[in-house]
Amino acid sequence: MWWEFRQWWRQWLNWALFALGFAVILGSYVYASNQAQQANAREYDTLLAESQQLADADKNLADQTQTEKVTKQRAAIQREQTIISRYGRALTGHRRNLLSHRLAYYRLLQHPAFPFSQRSATVIHQAITRDRYLQQHELVPRENVSALTPAAAFGRSQNAAVFLLILSLLVLQFGGLFARDWETGSIRLLLMLPQERQRLSRHKLGLALVIAGSELVLWSVFGYLLAAIRSGQRWGGAYPWRAVGTRIVTLNSVLLTNMLTIILVSTLVIVLLYWLSILLRDQFTVIVAMIAVLGSGALFFGEASTNLLAALNPFYQLGLSTHVGLRNVLVYGTLMGITDTALILAALVGGRFWWRKST
């Protein structure tokens, strides 16, 4: 394996792709931070629009005859305006009392004295469920944090686009590791060496898995340190990612499944590269074919896919964070692990069969 590692080490493209991985992590963190800021800005704009609607309604009532009923309606509008204003000030000022004001606001939306919001009943219920969970666990709302916590940063950035970029970097790095010997014809010379033939493939597979695993760890540590230093928090995984009915899906659940996903899918990609290299024997064709498999598998299955299709297609799992609320994470993760493991074993057996047939 040491000889193969020295050959990989000397390729400047491999080091460029390794450095590009850090750029992908940095870019995903910046994008996730911008998304969080934009979400807060949209929430504040919504509050402004609702406040304006109440102001217009109060103005219309002021032009009417001030009966007892009109007076009560204007008083109710004033109370609603007060709740919205307190929530808006707490949201923009990053105040500690944000949670209590936000919960009061969404409770108001359940039975408003004067209808002023377009939020659906489902959104209101999910928000109340989330805020009650935060109160029970004494958690500070994300909007009160100056920067994303490591768990929140990973949760927002672990999507299909980032995972596809990471896997594409691995494909570009290791696509030639297996196919180059067949493409150049040096496989014949290697087979003449006085050692077991299977050691050639085992060493290359081992090298690819070790390097890929090391890169994933280093990229993840970089992303963790970046978020931890900026936010001043160690993790933050107990924060709710999504409310599904009365059930809370935490960041820890999503990130654990995502971590297992990327490990299994990375292993599957490397094993498939090994198999495709024996079949196609051309570095460029192998890389293009593998990236096409990644793209088609991840992009052509939307959120409406059934549980069976989602479990059988390992590359659909790359977008888990975006559709985790549609499925039970534990059941889905178990199906995912079984499917990926079976595909890895099948690819290994198939690669060994074609290796023996080809040599």
Side-chain angles (χ1 to χ4, degrees):
M1 185 185 296
W2 177 244
W3 182 86
E4 287 88 352
F5 177 72
R6 283 187 298 173
Q7 298 301 312
W8 185 91
W9 181 288
R10 293 172 182 174
Q11 298 292 325
W12 66 268
L13 179 60
N14 293 330
W15 290 103
L17 294 172
F18 174 61
L20 188 58
F22 290 102
V24 171
I25 299 300
L26 177 60
S28 66
Y29 175 80
V30 172
Y31 179 74
S33 300
N34 290 337
Q35 274 190 322
Q37 294 174 1
Q38 291 172 5
N40 288 345
R42 287 193 298 269
E43 179 72 3
Y44 187 70
D45 291 341
T46 300
L47 294 178
L48 287 178
E50 292 173 347
S51 179
Q52 185 60 47
Q53 290 180 26
L54 289 176
D56 293 340
D58 184 65
K59 184 178 179 180
N60 292 332
L61 290 174
D63 295 336
Q64 300 178 14
T65 304
Q66 298 302 300
T67 62
E68 182 180 356
K69 179 180 179 181
V70 171
T71 302
K72 289 182 179 180
Q73 288 179 335
R74 294 189 67 186
I77 289 176
Q78 185 59 43
R79 288 194 297 270
E80 293 175 345
Q81 280 279 29
T82 301
I83 293 175
I84 292 177
S85 299
R86 288 174 178 174
Y87 175 31
R89 287 195 297 269
L91 180 65
T92 55
H94 299 288
R95 299 181 182 179
R96 286 287 177 178
N97 57 2
L98 169 63
L99 183 57
S100 60
H101 288 314
R102 186 171 66 186
L103 191 54
Y105 165 77
Y106 278 105
R107 282 172 175 166
L108 168 67
L109 295 186
Q110 285 185 310
H111 307 286
F114 187 87
F116 59 91
S117 179
Q118 300 299 319
R119 300 177 194 265
S120 66
T122 302
V123 170
I124 296 172
H125 174 73
Q126 290 177 345
I128 292 176
T129 302
R130 173 201 61 195
D131 287 349
R132 284 175 177 169
Y133 173 87
L134 293 176
Q135 277 190 334
Q136 292 172 359
H137 294 80
E138 299 181 351
L139 296 174
V140 177
R142 269 198 309 240
E143 293 81 359
N144 279 31
V145 181
S146 57
L148 292 175
T149 63
F154 281 133
R156 286 179 174 269
S157 61
Q158 287 182 348
N159 51 53
V162 173
F163 280 162
L164 279 175
L165 287 174
I166 293 296
L167 292 175
S168 297
L169 293 179
L170 298 181
V171 170
L172 293 174
Q173 282 184 332
F174 303 115
L177 180 66
F178 303 109
R180 192 177 299 113
D181 292 334
W182 297 92
E183 183 180 3
T184 60
S186 58
I187 188 67
R188 297 180 180 180
L189 178 60
L190 293 174
L191 292 175
M192 294 173 61
L193 297 176
Q195 55 181 298
E196 183 185 355
R197 291 185 173 188
Q198 291 298 329
R199 289 182 60 186
L200 296 174
S201 58
R202 286 202 302 266
H203 283 186
K204 288 183 178 293
L205 276 173
L207 174 68
L209 292 173
V210 168
I211 293 178
S214 301
E215 289 181 336
L216 290 174
V217 169
L218 290 174
W219 290 334
S220 300
V221 169
F222 171 72
Y224 170 80
L225 292 176
L226 178 64
I229 293 173
R230 292 212 49 175
S231 66
Q233 298 194 32
R234 294 181 180 179
W235 185 235
Y239 197 88
W241 172 252
R242 188 171 297 180
V244 184
T246 58
R247 179 172 59 90
I248 291 292
V249 179
T250 64
L251 283 167
N252 282 332
S253 301
V254 178
L255 297 178
L256 175 61
T257 310
N258 276 350
M259 181 181 67
L260 296 176
T261 298
I262 196 63
I263 291 174
L264 288 171
V265 174
S266 298
T267 304
L268 178 60
V269 165
I270 290 174
V271 174
L272 287 177
L273 281 174
Y274 162 65
W275 190 7
L276 288 174
S277 298
I278 300 173
L279 288 175
L280 303 177
R281 304 187 180 188
D282 178 77
Q283 179 177 345
F284 178 78
T285 308
V286 167
I287 292 175
V288 171
M290 192 67 244
I291 291 180
V293 169
L294 286 176
S296 62
L299 300 179
F300 293 163
F301 286 78
E303 292 187 0
S305 298
T306 64
N307 286 317
L308 180 60
L309 288 177
L312 293 179
N313 176 13
F315 304 114
Y316 172 70
Q317 301 156 5
L318 298 177
L320 176 64
S321 295
T322 60
H323 57 81
V324 65
L326 302 178
R327 298 175 178 85
N328 185 296
V329 175
L330 180 60
V331 175
Y332 182 65
T334 302
L335 290 174
M336 172 199 71
I338 294 174
T339 302
D340 288 356
T341 303
L343 289 174
I344 290 170
L345 293 176
L348 282 173
V349 172
R352 187 173 182 180
F353 170 79
W354 284 106
W355 168 263
R356 288 181 173 179
K357 185 175 181 179
S358 301
T359 55

